Amino acid sequence: MIVLASASPRRQDLLRNAGIPFAVQPADINETPLPGESPRDCAERLAKEKAVAAAGSRSQDYVLGADTIVVIDDTILGKPRDAEDASRMLRLLAGRTHAVITGVCVVGPVASRQLPVASKTTSETTLVTFCEMSADEIRDYVATGEPMGKAGAYAIQGIASRWISRIEGDYSNVVGLPVALVYRMLREQGAL
């Protein structure tokens, strides 16, 4: 069985829409970047930590961990703390191109009760270009609540789509899970 170590409804929808069967077991980890850690290394480390945390009680299953971060000017934008933080992030992104990196880790079944080791960890990067946004547009968008709980304070598949003028790479990665990469990884590990 495949276990998704995430409570994200977007990740669940992406897997379901791709016809990949799964169960859900969210992993609760500290998502703070380490000092000096590169954005890619951070996303991959967090994905691995989520997968390993959930795999502790799912030793017979394949566990999928993922973590999506938004990066601009080498600064990681996580989930906004509040409306003011969401507005700050959107001002940074407006009129510019940024990277969305999703780290992905698949932990395979283990024969013993020892903690499993990651079978495979990698990441996908997509470049996203935002149009300019006025202060009123930012305020009104934040007031919808959509930016909350999302890396970079936006949802490409929602209202924010009106300000996305270009993407280079995997669209599903920006939503929260690079489906084609995940499918290949699961096939390579024998989970599908």
Side-chain angles (χ1 to χ4, degrees):
M1 170 178 280
I2 297 166
V3 176
L4 176 63
S6 172
S8 165
R10 292 161 300 283
R11 289 191 180 116
Q12 294 173 35
D13 286 345
L14 287 167
L15 286 175
R16 199 173 297 112
N17 291 342
I20 299 172
F22 65 96
V24 175
Q25 182 169 328
D28 185 25
I29 64 161
N30 180 346
E31 297 189 23
T32 306
L34 299 175
E37 186 174 42
S38 76
R40 179 180 305 283
D41 288 347
C42 178
E44 290 182 6
R45 176 183 57 82
L46 293 175
K48 181 176 179 179
E49 287 181 10
K50 289 176 182 182
V52 169
S57 61
R58 305 295 295 241
S59 63
Q60 301 307 307
D61 298 318
Y62 290 89
V63 180
L64 170 63
D67 192 77
T68 301
I69 59 174
V70 170
V71 182
I72 191 157
D73 297 332
D74 293 323
T75 300
I76 296 172
L77 302 182
K79 297 171 186 168
R81 293 181 302 278
D82 52 31
E84 184 177 317
D85 195 34
S87 295
R88 176 190 65 82
M89 290 182 189
L90 291 165
R91 284 191 301 273
L92 279 172
L93 299 175
R96 302 178 65 200
T97 299
H98 63 275
V100 177
I101 303 170
T102 301
V104 179
C105 178
V106 175
V107 172
V110 292
S112 69
R113 292 214 171 258
Q114 297 175 340
L115 269 182
V117 295
S119 299
K120 171 115 179 168
T121 305
T122 190
S123 58
E124 182 81 31
T125 300
T126 303
L127 298 179
V128 179
T129 302
F130 258 75
C131 296
E132 292 290 343
M133 295 175 74
S134 70
D136 287 345
E137 287 174 317
I138 291 172
R139 183 194 66 239
D140 292 348
Y141 178 53
V142 171
T144 69
E146 183 178 273
M148 306 315 293
K150 295 170 186 74
Y154 75 93
I156 193 171
Q157 73 280 14
I159 297 166
S161 64
R162 64 176 73 166
W163 297 292
I164 309 288
S165 61
R166 178 178 174 85
I167 72 165
E168 296 175 46
D170 186 336
Y171 171 84
S172 68
N173 182 51
V174 184
V175 177
L177 194 67
V179 175
L181 173 63
V182 167
Y183 179 74
R184 283 193 310 272
M185 290 174 71
L186 292 170
R187 299 260 316 175
E188 289 169 4
Q189 295 299 321
L192 292 174

